[in-house]
Amino acid sequence: MSRAKLDSIRAAGPAILPSLLQCDFGDLRTEIEKLNVAGTRVLHLDVMDGHFVPNLTYGMPIVEGLRRHTDMPLDVHLMISDPVTYAQPMVDAGADMLTFHVEAVEDSVEVAGKIRDMGVGVGVAINPDTDFAKLDCCLDSVDMVLVMSVNAGFGGQKFNPVSLDRLRSLKERKPDLLLEIDGGIKAETIGEARAAGCDLFVVGSAIFGQHDYETAINELTQAMHGSPPSAGDQS
Ligand code: DX5
Ligand code: ZN
């Protein structure tokens, strides 16, 4: 764990980050190998507490287990009500980037500072229905903004285009800030998000709903660079 991994995450962009939410948790080692072969450079981990969002996933043991099997940076999306309590245990487990939700905390500047002091990258996430101005005060305190293009909590939801305006606005105001998008990213939406200035594209269903991850990631990469999805594309 160190902020050096933040440089690897930056250097990977523009990049597709598979979201470990709809993967085969019974065979995580094989899943990671398949993603590695498919050219993945950063993994996105969706941590949900059944309180901040009405869904429950996993915590430190899975992060720690993944850490033992891969050198890839682990980008941990904390969809939890109390990110401060769990931040240090997540760092100890091997997280390289911790993203908390602006909706979950009273003082986003303070939370960002605490996470930064733990020696990892820090991101702030915002749901589509949240007042965008809530981010203003903490933009100088974070390494990354995660613009949610669905309400956090579940995979397979429909892309909300308000996220594109938000990406454009952030890119204009803070050109050096790392920008990530999460939710409903597939061949039909990834190109617009890239054009809006996004660096990191979190993808769940459009990879894990496909038989061949490598083909899925290649098609997404082409679409990210502006090629329209090919006929017969199932994403
Ligand atoms: C949703 C999660 C996402 C999710 C995206 O709350 O943060 O990372 O896995 O899934 P898709 O790509 O299916 O929208
Ligand atoms: Zn996520």
Side-chain angles (χ1 to χ4, degrees):
M1 164 290 290
S2 84
R3 280 180 64 87
K5 284 278 184 77
L6 176 61
D7 295 332
S8 317
I9 296 174
R10 272 188 196 287
I16 291 159
L17 277 56
S19 142
L20 299 187
L21 178 62
Q22 294 166 89
C23 58
D24 180 359
F25 286 100
D27 194 2
L28 262 184
R29 186 197 292 247
T30 304
E31 292 284 66
I32 301 309
E33 277 167 18
K34 281 162 66 179
L35 293 170
N36 197 24
V37 167
T40 299
R41 294 174 65 188
V42 183
L43 294 171
H44 179 89
L45 276 53
D46 285 305
V47 174
M48 307 186 191
D49 65 356
H51 185 260
F52 176 69
V53 291
N55 195 5
L56 188 61
T57 56
Y58 51 84
M60 285 72 79
I62 293 284
V63 178
E64 190 271 331
L66 287 165
R67 181 74 296 158
R68 277 187 285 116
H69 289 293
T70 180
D71 290 332
M72 278 191 260
L74 303 178
D75 168 40
V76 178
H77 179 187
L78 296 173
M79 288 164 271
I80 65 178
S81 296
D82 187 358
V84 171
T85 295
Y86 294 98
Q88 189 63 56
M90 282 290 175
V91 172
D92 294 342
D96 298 297
M97 167 80 85
L98 286 181
T99 298
F100 64 94
H101 266 263
V102 71
E103 301 87 357
V105 302
E106 291 265 316
D107 185 340
S108 52
V109 174
E110 185 186 9
V111 174
K114 284 184 176 167
I115 293 175
R116 180 180 293 270
D117 288 347
M118 293 172 195
V120 294
V122 54
V124 62
I126 184 163
N127 277 327
D129 297 339
T130 302
D131 181 2
F132 191 40
K134 268 195 119 179
L135 281 188
D136 289 350
C137 62
C138 67
L139 290 179
D140 288 331
S141 309
V142 297
D143 301 300
M144 184 179 85
V145 174
L146 167 49
V147 176
M148 292 302 297
S149 34
V150 299
N151 282 314
F154 297 92
Q157 303 181 72
K158 192 170 180 289
F159 181 83
N160 184 333
V162 74
S163 54
L164 298 173
D165 292 334
R166 292 178 166 196
L167 287 169
R168 279 189 281 268
S169 164
L170 289 165
K171 191 72 194 168
E172 198 178 299
R173 288 153 65 195
K174 296 272 170 196
D176 295 332
L177 203 55
L178 202 51
L179 298 180
E180 182 175 62
I181 192 164
D182 185 356
I185 295 295
K186 49 189 179 175
E188 289 80 0
T189 51
I190 195 168
E192 280 182 300
R194 176 65 185 146
C198 194
D199 306 293
L200 304 174
F201 306 84
V202 177
V203 181
S205 333
I207 295 175
F208 295 100
Q210 307 294 316
H211 175 66
D212 179 349
Y213 298 168
E214 190 164 6
T215 303
I217 290 174
N218 285 343
E219 287 179 0
L220 286 160
T221 304
Q222 281 177 22
M224 176 173 77
H225 291 301
S227 311
S230 57
D233 178 16
Q234 298 164 33
S235 52

